[in-house]
Amino acid sequence: MKFMKLGSKPDSFQADGNNVRYVASELATDVIVVVDDIKFHLHKFPLLSKSACLQKLVATANEANNNEVDISDIPGGPSAFETCAKFCYGMTVTLNAYNVVAARCAAEYLGMHESVEKGNFVYKIDVFISSSILRSWKDSIIVLQTTKSLLPMSEELKVASHCIEAIATKACVDVSKVDWSYTYNRKKLPEENGNDPNWNGVRTRAVPKDWWVEDLCELEIDFYKRCIMTIKTKAILSNEVIGEALKAYAYRRLSGFSKGMIQSGNVGKYRSIVDAVVWLLPAEKGSVSCSFLLKLLKAAIIVDSGDMVKAQLVRRIGQQLEEASVNDILIRAPEGESTMYDVDMVHKIIEEFLMQDKNAETDVPEEHEVVEIRRPGVLSDASKLMVAKLMDGYLTEIAKDHNLPVAKFVDLAKLVSGISRPTHDGLYRAIDMYLMEHQAISKSERKKICKLMDCRKLSVDACMHAVQNERLPLRVVVQVLFFEQVRVAAASGSSTPDLPRGLKDLNNGSRRSSRSAATNPEEDWDAVATAEELKALKGELAALRLSNGVGGSERNGSDKAAITKMKGLLKSKKIFAKLFTSKGGQGENSGSDSSESVGSAVLEETKSTPSRNRRNSVS
């Protein structure tokens, strides 16, 4: 830390109790200066020779036959005035980063300028600040912090502005000119703590571009905001470095932020921090991670930030949603809500994500016509697929909420239904979880949920599980069995996975028999399968899969064997004929998770990776 000593006389200020200060001298004091509740018994000559303010006040007091002057409104209070008084007496005064602003403001108040005496206190302090303080990284930060208690004079003197400019300039300097000793103590490096046996005393590690971000976290939000704004105006540092600085500040200043929550504290202060960080975010996509944006959104909800702040975060999150994890988007519902998670907020985020892929339409008038200009979507297939998988995992988690309405679950799943996925296993897992946790829902609601999934896109393992899933409607179970049969037929030599011709003929005949056999076929069809029915279906599926292993000469008869098995199935379960009357044999959408069902080990549970508190530097 830089310091400056002024004066050569020994300090002869003494105290008499708590409220009296005086100078030990053979000469009697002839003026009393009152600062707050402390009285300074001093001499007029040294004070008046350097202070224009005291000259006027003492002259006024003399006219009133009074030897007291009151300057209780002096910036810095009694300690700052005492420093100025010692300078007037020529006593030794030591200035440093902690007291220089108070001394400068007090000297300004007292009028200790060059017009009163050459080499006066204001001049000497300004020289010290410009030549030493502003050239020191940490001293500039300390001085900036001290200016807050000395407002508004510290702003009028532009001390804070000069410090902010100095800090921003140093933060933007080429890292090759940065001394490692400035800062960068967030990681205890082996060469720094003496644990590196190969260290020869020479630092060879490159200084990272974000070496300065930790030190700025010491600033209060108003000064921090001004520093970052000044740094951004210089347009030297990358957006990633600015984003890393904002991330470090949020983690340092918002208690519990790393866990996606805000612990008890000053809500108003936390709100100002969240709002400022959001406002300072670089506009460029990818400057901060999606996980960090979601943490900011959770914090904004907790501290009740304005709708504009939340809307901005939702828009930013939607632009890079493919980076998020399930744990990131599990946003707790506000207090008073019956549901566990804020599904509506995630719904908005998904809409923002999908909005990027909509064709932009611009109306351009050309004489009396309107020309429509279309721009192709910007989302890649990989991004869409990642978001679809993300939503499958999210649906699985929120399905555990007993208070989650069917409508919200279905609406959210439908948002990403247009994204083509190679498999619907994740969606099946989510739906099964919902059916497991909401067993009291009606048949129509169960049917609506199951329509979300395409049975043709279930893996073999998922099909095996679905066939023995007691929570699925019988319609869905039969569809799973049917499409597995088609897959087996195709794998065993059929040129296309369509229904074999023999089964098509069987379909036509079955349609009539099923109508006469069932008194209320639709109700039976949407009912949950019984254990006996599931056992029969499981046996049929196993037999069909076994037929796929027939080799060489027997493959030619695989279609006939499949037809024979289907005939037997239709005879044993007349209700199965209903399959061929539903939507032309096309599978209805259905999905589920098998977390605790028989065979659930086959389906892999979606796991959320907890966010790490440690941040990596930007090199």
Side-chain angles (χ1 to χ4, degrees), residues 307-461:
D307 292 338
M308 188 175 296
V309 172
K310 296 175 188 176
Q312 182 179 349
L313 287 171
V314 168
R315 180 182 59 82
R316 295 289 299 268
I317 294 167
Q319 292 176 352
Q320 49 193 104
L321 184 59
E322 65 273 14
E323 304 171 11
S325 68
V326 174
N327 188 62
D328 290 335
I329 60 176
L330 287 176
I331 304 172
R332 287 283 177 179
E335 291 187 11
E337 295 289 333
S338 59
T339 56
M340 185 182 302
Y341 299 108
D342 193 342
V343 180
D344 294 334
M345 186 66 72
V346 176
H347 196 284
K348 294 177 183 177
I349 294 173
I350 299 297
E351 287 180 330
E352 286 290 340
F353 172 79
L354 298 174
M355 190 72 67
Q356 299 175 85
D357 210 36
K358 289 189 176 181
N359 291 328
E361 299 181 1
T362 306
D363 294 338
V364 181
E366 184 176 320
E367 294 182 355
H368 300 291
E369 297 182 358
V370 175
V371 180
E372 203 175 70
I373 300 176
R374 292 184 177 271
R375 175 177 55 83
V378 297
L379 292 178
S380 66
D381 291 340
S383 295
K384 295 178 185 177
L385 184 58
M386 291 173 69
V387 170
K389 292 179 64 177
L390 173 69
M391 291 313 301
D392 288 346
Y394 179 74
L395 288 169
T396 303
E397 289 298 321
I398 65 174
K400 301 172 185 178
D401 182 2
H402 293 283
N403 296 322
L404 180 66
V406 173
K408 284 195 174 185
F409 183 88
V410 172
D411 289 346
L412 194 59
K414 283 184 176 179
L415 267 184
V416 293
S417 61
I419 299 177
S420 178
R421 283 170 274 184
T423 176
H424 275 202
D425 284 11
L427 191 53
Y428 170 70
R429 183 181 301 114
I431 293 174
D432 188 41
M433 177 63 71
Y434 192 90
L435 295 177
M436 183 189 304
E437 299 293 337
H438 303 78
Q439 299 183 15
I441 63 175
S442 65
K443 291 181 181 179
S444 61
E445 290 175 326
R446 190 180 299 270
K447 182 178 179 181
K448 184 184 298 184
I449 291 177
C450 290
K451 281 185 177 180
L452 294 169
M453 183 189 67
D454 189 346
C455 297
R456 291 169 294 185
K457 292 190 176 182
L458 291 181
S459 67
V460 175
D461 291 334

Side-chain angles (χ1 to χ4, degrees), residues 194-206:
N195 293 333
D196 187 359
N198 299 320
W199 188 51
N200 58 6
V202 179
R203 294 185 176 92
T204 58
R205 187 187 298 269

Side-chain angles (χ1 to χ4, degrees), residues 30 44 57-68:
D30 51 6
K44 292 180 182 178
L57 292 175
V58 170
T60 303
N62 289 339
E63 292 177 0
N65 294 322
N66 187 5
N67 66 342
E68 283 191 11

